[in-house]
Amino acid sequence: GIDLSLLNCTTDALDFINTAATAASSTAARRRKRANTGNGIDVHSHFVFPWYKDLVPKTGGVDTPDWTLEDHLSLASSLSITKTILGSSTPQANIYFGNQALTAAMARLLNISAAAVSVVSLPFPVRFAHDPLLHPQIRALYPKKFDFFCVVPLPYVNAAISEAKYCLDTLGGVGITTMTNHEGLYLGNSALDGFWSYVNSRTDKPIIYVHPTTPYVKVNGKFVEANPTLYSSGLVEFYFETARCYMDLSYSGVLTKYTNIRWIAAHVGGAFPGILDRMIKSLGTSMESTLKSIYSTRIFWDSAGPVYPNQVRGLLAYSIPKSQLLLGTDFPYAPAGSYPGALAGLVNDADFTQTEISNILRNNSVALFGKKLNL
């Protein structure tokens, strides 16, 4: 089992849940739960629990932002978003490089915390190993407002399989989130094949939401950040990370071998469209055709950041159907005040019909997730 007592932050995490539960029971919170704030579905959005921010004060080289449930609900309301699928930003569970037990425990704590604010019913109370005093009666706080992606403790394949199974089948996650690399291993690395084989074998065809992270290399047994510039990884390097990741998934055969897996690429693929032809044409015309078909059917592309109306053109140049485009905000990691402008770039794009815009805001996500979403 998972021993959450290994983590010094477990008590703080439970305190946050209990405090949030008290706040959610207030009259104002009950009104927010019922309020119809619009019909948008945000697939790229984050929680930053205060205990997690204490552990990760910097993200991508800049200060990790503050976050509250109330702020997230207010942002969603202002953008006419009715459903948010919460996911963990980098570094997810990979805070303790090289330590499988702590990484697995962190993934479980993140998933329990996310489930507590989103899922309708949970198998609580939870009993934590070696700490019989922690028996919290946790209730889902905002099931109509939030769903969540499951964090997994990659690169530890067996632990990741166990956590994915528990989180999807017991906690009710709507998909799995990974990073572009985990402790320097990119997702196409053969060491991770066992995990993809498990995911591919599931009859519910899980959705994998891939978030960029800082690149790392191992030097003399130590992990070293591999950002070659003087600028923060979050500024530009994350876009290159997404390109590396999907190039790796393409070259390694993961995309072609595991055909039941559907993927969400952040920031409409980051820098990937810019290198796609150079990368794919080296594989021959048959594989080029196969991969372009996958990019158009099993990969979905979220709008987090200022990607409309310009950046998305690089993706659409490859005849990616607009039915593969999804709404994302990147809250709360984007610059404060940028969210309305990013959304306006989409809804005011003259090359999209009103129907296409409505589909990106909601219907494409409904078609992708289906009954997984609690709508």
Side-chain angles (χ1 to χ4, degrees), residues 4 44 56 67 83 109 124 133 152 155 172 181 194 196 203 205 247 265 267 275 297 330 333 361-362 367:
L4 292 181
H44 184 148
V56 187
W67 174 88
K83 169 66 72 175
L109 191 58
F124 291 115
L133 298 178
V152 291
N181 80 79
W196 300 128
T203 58
K205 295 185 177 182
M247 179 186 73
H267 314 115
I275 68 164
T297 56
D330 217 354
Y333 286 88
L361 295 177
R362 179 181 178 86

Side-chain angles (χ1 to χ4, degrees), residues 14-26 29 69-70 116-117 141-142:
L14 297 175
D15 287 344
F16 169 81
I17 293 171
N18 289 328
T19 300
T22 300
S25 65
S26 69
L69 283 164
E70 292 74 19
V117 303
L141 306 184
Y142 296 99

Side-chain angles (χ1 to χ4, degrees), residues 302-369:
D302 80 44
S303 68
V307 301
Y308 288 84
N310 299 319
Q311 185 189 330
V312 72
R313 295 298 189 275
L315 182 68
L316 296 177
Y318 291 98
S319 300
I320 303 296
K322 293 174 181 177
S323 58
Q324 300 299 114
L325 304 177
L326 308 175
L327 172 65
T329 65
D330 217 354
F331 186 80
Y333 286 88
S338 68
Y339 304 102
L343 181 61
L346 165 60
V347 300
N348 296 327
D349 193 323
D351 287 345
F352 288 76
T353 68
Q354 189 57 54
T355 296
E356 290 169 339
I357 292 170
S358 296
N359 288 342
I360 294 168
L361 295 177
R362 179 181 178 86
N363 298 331
N364 294 347
S365 290
V366 172
L368 172 61
F369 287 92

